[in-house]
């Protein structure tokens, strides 16, 4: 699978040393701005879903709650677990930056942090999306260390964290696999996670009485649980579609996807070889049929784009003309709105509220 990025300029010989101080300082600044913009404590919605467990009779999104269930229903345990996952995510991002073999790779990491996605990462602390990507990072590391069976097992666990793994991390993992192993071998390694995900989707979300029992348990917890979060396990998908407009979510996501895939193809030249990475980028668009979290799906779209681009770059630098294309694309992405949940909003970088907003 050779793409234009892979056939670009000759590989850059980079000595084994840390990135230059300026780029490192820019990374630290970007991470700090992202944390300041979106940091908050885990919300009640996330804490409620972290209480869902297999032993409690739930058949989806149960892995995190099953691991936390021996510690009781307290909020503090869930908050600590949430921040540990966020720390693992940020550690993987830092490793990707410091071990990136080119300036282009490092700047992709910095750009992702400076885009609305950086603040959104800190805002959605506690959500299962972060666990999914931590498992993806671990699977990519295992694959790079020639442990494909471990990588496949980690991806199989991801669908037990949240079924949206089928449209987020699995496409990226599949693309990465095809760059390393033959097609048949990649299919064998992807099969367990794909089959497990489809089986979980075929099962009812929860056993009879499981939701009511968890409501009783959480009624004595030290945080106000979200009844609407537990209602997800009582509804069919058709009933969920009646609560929101799939069309409106698609109208939010499709322009972002067109921008990302279009920019990727400008960098790659539209060929059959570019079809798989483009599909891995665009796959989260289908989440419009899974729920109404449009900004969250947009966050996952841009995150998949950054991951796929980082993987494609490998050890090669972008040419100056392609840097210009990528820079223009990233500037456009700064205009993509990503509103926060629970009445929260991104923090501004100014010290006072502008006069126009204060009126």
């Amino acid at each position: 699978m050779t793409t234009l990025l892979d056939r670009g300029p000759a590989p850059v010989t980079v000595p084994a040393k840390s990135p230059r101080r300026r780029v490192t300082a820019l990374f630290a600044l970007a991470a700090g701005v992202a944390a300041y913009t979106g940091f908050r404590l885990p919300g009640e919605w996330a804490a409620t879903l972290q209480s869902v467990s297999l032993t409690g009779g739930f058949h989806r999104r149960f892995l995190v709650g099953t691991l936390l269930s021996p510690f009781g229903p307290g909020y503090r345990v869930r908050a600590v677990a949430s921040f540990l996952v966020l720390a693992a995510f940020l550690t993987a991002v830092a490793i990707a930056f410091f071990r990136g073999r080119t300036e282009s790779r490092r700047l992709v990491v910095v750009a992702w942090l400076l885009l609305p996605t950086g603040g959104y990462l800190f805002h959605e602390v506690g959500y299962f999306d972060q666990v999914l990507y931590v498992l993806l990072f671990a699977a990519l590391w295992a694959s790079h260390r020639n442990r494909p069976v471990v990588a496949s097992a980690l991806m199989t666990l991801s669908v037990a964290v949240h079924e949206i793994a089928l449209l987020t991390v699995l496409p990226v993992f599949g693309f990465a696999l095809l760059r390393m192993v033959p097609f048949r071998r990649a299919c064998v390694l992807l099969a367990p996670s794909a089959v497990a995900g489809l089986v979980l989707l075929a099962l009812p979300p929860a056993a009879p009485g499981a939701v009511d029992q968890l409501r009783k348990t959480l009624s004595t917890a030290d945080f106000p649980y979200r009844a609407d979060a537990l209602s997800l396990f009582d509804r069919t998908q058709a009933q969920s579609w009646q609560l929101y407009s799939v069309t409106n979510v698609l109208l939010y996501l499709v322009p972002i996807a067109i921008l990302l895939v279009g920019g990727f193809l400008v960098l790659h030249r539209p060929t059959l070889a570019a079809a798989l990475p483009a599909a891995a980028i665009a796959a989260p668009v289908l989440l419009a049929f899974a729920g109404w979290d449009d900004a969250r799906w947009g966050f996952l779209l841009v995150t998949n784009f950054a991951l796929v681009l980082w993987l494609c770059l490998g050890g090669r630098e972008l040419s100056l003309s392609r840097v210009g294309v990528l820079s223009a694309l990233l500037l456009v992405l700064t205009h993509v709105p990503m509103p926060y949940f629970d009445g929260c909003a991104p923090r501004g970088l100014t010290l006072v509220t502008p006069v126009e907003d204060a009126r």
Side-chain angles (χ1 to χ4, degrees), residues 29 38 58 69 81 91 115 124 136 145 157 182 224 231 259 303 312 348 358:
L29 176 64
F58 291 84
S69 59
T91 299
L115 288 172
E124 70 151 22
L136 172 63
R145 295 295 186 276
L157 288 177
S231 297
L259 177 67
T303 300
C312 284

Side-chain angles (χ1 to χ4, degrees), residues 185-257:
R185 176 66 169 162
C187 290
V188 169
L189 293 171
L190 276 173
S193 51
V195 171
L198 294 175
V199 168
L200 291 179
L201 287 175
L203 293 173
V211 175
D212 289 336
Q213 182 58 46
L214 184 55
R215 286 193 179 107
K216 292 178 182 178
T217 300
L218 292 180
S219 65
T220 59
D222 58 354
F223 66 94
Y225 78 92
R226 291 284 295 269
D228 50 346
L230 295 182
S231 297
L232 294 171
F233 300 91
D234 274 335
R235 294 195 299 264
T236 65
Q237 191 59 57
Q239 290 171 332
S240 292
W241 288 337
Q242 295 174 2
L243 301 178
Y244 74 102
S245 169
V246 174
T247 301
N248 285 344
V249 179
L250 284 172
L251 289 174
Y252 172 83
L253 293 175
V254 169
I256 304 174

Side-chain angles (χ1 to χ4, degrees), residues 41 53 71 79 139 238 302 351 354:
L41 294 176
S53 67
F71 302 99
V302 180
L351 298 178

Side-chain angles (χ1 to χ4, degrees), residues 4 83 158-159 213 232-233 284:
L4 225 168
F83 284 121
S158 72
V159 298
Q213 182 58 46
L232 294 171
F233 300 91

Side-chain angles (χ1 to χ4, degrees), residues 52-71:
V52 168
S53 67
L54 184 62
T55 54
F58 291 84
H59 306 145
R60 296 181 192 169
R61 311 179 195 183
F62 57 77
L63 182 60
V64 172
T66 302
L67 295 175
L68 294 180
S69 59
F71 302 99

Side-chain angles (χ1 to χ4, degrees), residues 46 177 242 286 331:
L177 276 182
Q242 295 174 2
L286 296 177
L331 285 173

Side-chain angles (χ1 to χ4, degrees), residues 73-93:
Y75 175 80
R76 183 173 298 179
V77 169
R78 280 144 184 76
V80 169
S82 299
F83 284 121
L84 287 175
V85 171
L86 177 60
F89 191 110
L90 292 172
T91 299
V93 171

